Each structure stands twice: as structure tokens, then as C-alpha cells.
Amino acid sequence: MSMWGIVPAAGRGSRIQPLAFSKELLPVGSRADGGIERPCAVSEYLVERMIRGGADKVCFIISPGKSDIMEYFGASYGSTPIVYVVQQRPVGLCDAVFSADPVIDGDAPVAIGLPDTVWFPEDGLAALPNDVLSYLLFPVQRPEFFDAVVLDGDRVREIQVKQPKPSSNWIWGAFKMPGSVFRELRQLWLARQGTDEYFGTLVNAYLAQGGQAVAVKAGQAYVDVGTLHGYRAAMSLLEEIRDRSPLADAGAPPLASNGGRDGELTQHAVRT
């Protein structure tokens, strides 16, 4: 089955400015390319995870001033075609995601992630079902800096958007839905006058009117690279992953980090 990966990359990246390029191109780690080691842009991690999760085409949402992303990725990533949609103003994740509506076709599933994050396992999106709105969850010690997901079994009961005292330490790192749910959520967003900046508040309204969402606790490590502290945490995580393969040996806990959004580097070992 065909699947789109949507990469919202129109944000200003104010937490890590000044940069001379889009934050999505920040070099994080490296990769081998034809036997030569080269820097890896942070957004490549998300694109690779989408492809490993089943995406056979990728849509970048960019702002008018982010032509460097087009120059970097071009028309494809390997054999996976890439298209670009321009979001005129960066007014939130909902607006960015739904800017992809003109290219989303039929009921094919759609996967969404954040291009300034690094997370493991690399094939985490493959654990999500294709026929319902579903979230890939990661454990963190400071969930108040993210969107915490409150569950009833595997059913999503509520998304607590950056609340001071969330009732769950599981946050979403990526999500997937069928094309029909994508269009249903977009219609709900339009009916609410496009007032939802965060996807979590829109999903709460969707759940309140009878919609369904599920979540899978398959995440092992998650780092937000949107700050200098988060950048350092990501580099440390990648170095540890390189030195410890596979990610978690028997008895070794996975890692999760809030990327230092509170101004401190806070990388934690968290047992699931």
C-alpha cells in the first residue's frame, strides 16, 4: 500500500537561531556515502524512519525562505520521490500538516513526524496500524515539555499539550492515519476556524465527537534537537548508539531526553 510521509519544515527554529541555514539541515552525526563519511542533516533521520515505516513518497512543508531544503534533498531521497508544498506563514503544526492536502490521495495512510528530532527504533512507524489514527509513544522524565498521551488500554483518551503536571510520562514522537481520517481532521480544523495551533487540541476535539485513536509504546529513545542542549544530547545519543549496537542490550534501559527545553541538559535512562 502506498503511504505519504509529511515533514512539517516551515518553522523559524527560533530556539536554536542564529543559523545561516534552515534548522532542518543542522548537521547531526554522520553517515557513510559511497564509502565516504559525510555529515547528516537532522531531518534525514525522520525521512529515513518514514521510509522504513512504509512511506514511498515524502512531502516537505516549507516556508518561502527555505529553498535550501529543496536544494539539499532535491527531487528524491534515494529512490523515494519528494514533493514540496509552501506554507505562506508558520502558524502552527495543524496548518503545516494540512497544507499537504492537495497531494494526499485516496485512503492511503499518512505518517507525520517532526524534522528536528532523532528517535529510535528506526522502524518504529511500522508498529502503527494503517486504519486508524495512531501514535508512536516514547517515555520521558519531563513530559510537561511535550504532548503527553493519556491512555485507556491502547486507546487514546486525551492529549495533554505541554501541561505543567501531565498525568502520563508517555509522549508522542510521530503519528499515522488513513487518508480518510486526515481529511476528517482537516474538515474539523476548518470548522473550528483553524484556531488549533497544536495537533493535540484538534485531536481532543476529534475524540470528543466520537473519533478514535490508539497508541503504541514502541519508542525507546527520543531527543528534541531544537536547542543547543538538545543538539548535544542528540550527538551523545548517536555516539552511544554507534558504540552499543543494538540500541539496548539485555537489561539495558532505553534513553529519552527532553532536549533541555528547560535550559538544562536532561538526558535520562528510562525503563519502560
Side-chain angles (χ1 to χ4, degrees):
M1 178 184 291
S2 179
M3 185 174 95
W4 276 101
I6 299 178
V7 181
R12 291 182 293 267
S14 57
R15 292 180 299 151
I16 202 167
Q17 293 296 345
L19 293 173
F21 47 83
S22 296
K23 66 170 182 174
E24 293 80 10
L25 301 183
L26 183 71
V28 178
S30 62
R31 67 174 63 259
D33 184 4
I36 300 174
E37 187 178 20
R38 69 169 180 84
C40 182
V42 63
S43 52
E44 289 186 64
Y45 292 96
L46 175 61
V47 172
E48 288 186 344
R49 281 147 178 73
M50 287 179 163
I51 293 170
R52 293 191 63 160
D56 57 358
K57 43 196 173 182
V58 173
C59 176
F60 269 87
I61 311 300
I62 61 173
S63 63
K66 288 196 166 184
S67 61
D68 56 348
I69 293 177
M70 296 178 61
E71 294 171 3
Y72 185 87
F73 283 96
S76 65
Y77 191 79
S79 61
T80 303
I82 296 178
V83 301
Y84 301 88
V85 173
V86 176
Q87 181 190 23
Q88 288 300 319
R89 295 182 301 112
V91 290
L93 183 59
C94 285
D95 186 81
V97 168
F98 295 131
S99 294
D101 179 65
V103 304
I104 302 303
D105 49 344
D107 198 36
V110 176
I112 296 102
L114 303 177
D116 57 354
T117 61
V118 176
W119 47 264
F120 290 87
E122 296 172 317
D123 60 353
L125 280 168
L128 302 183
N130 290 329
D131 59 350
V132 65
L133 174 61
S134 53
Y135 284 91
L136 177 62
L137 302 188
F138 297 80
V140 297
Q141 289 191 349
R142 301 296 300 274
E144 64 269 25
F145 297 109
F146 301 95
D147 289 0
V149 181
V150 181
L151 299 177
D152 184 3
D154 64 348
R155 297 278 182 173
V156 176
R157 194 173 76 222
E158 180 188 7
I159 308 292
Q160 296 180 338
V161 180
K162 297 173 180 60
Q163 292 190 9
K165 296 181 179 179
S167 55
S168 170
N169 73 318
W170 288 90
I171 64 157
W172 69 259
F175 54 99
K176 185 195 292 187
M177 70 190 85
S180 57
V181 173
F182 177 89
R183 290 187 293 275
E184 188 176 349
L185 284 169
R186 179 176 178 272
Q187 288 303 315
L188 177 60
W189 177 68
L190 292 173
R192 290 163 60 85
Q193 309 302 315
T195 56
D196 296 285
E197 177 182 359
Y198 300 106
F199 217 84
T201 61
L202 178 65
V203 169
N204 287 337
Y206 173 71
L207 297 175
Q209 68 174 25
Q212 293 187 343
V214 300
V216 178
K217 294 178 176 180
Q220 295 175 331
Y222 184 91
V223 180
D224 172 3
V225 192
T227 67
L228 283 175
H229 295 293
Y231 175 79
R232 297 186 187 108
M235 296 295 286
S236 296
L237 175 61
L238 290 170
E239 184 176 355
E240 178 162 351
I241 298 303
R242 183 183 61 192
D243 294 341
R244 293 174 54 195
S245 183
L247 172 63
D249 299 323
L255 298 172
S257 171
N258 72 1
R261 288 194 184 193
D262 55 350
E264 297 179 357
L265 180 59
T266 50
Q267 185 168 331
H268 309 285
V270 182
R271 294 196 181 275
T272 54

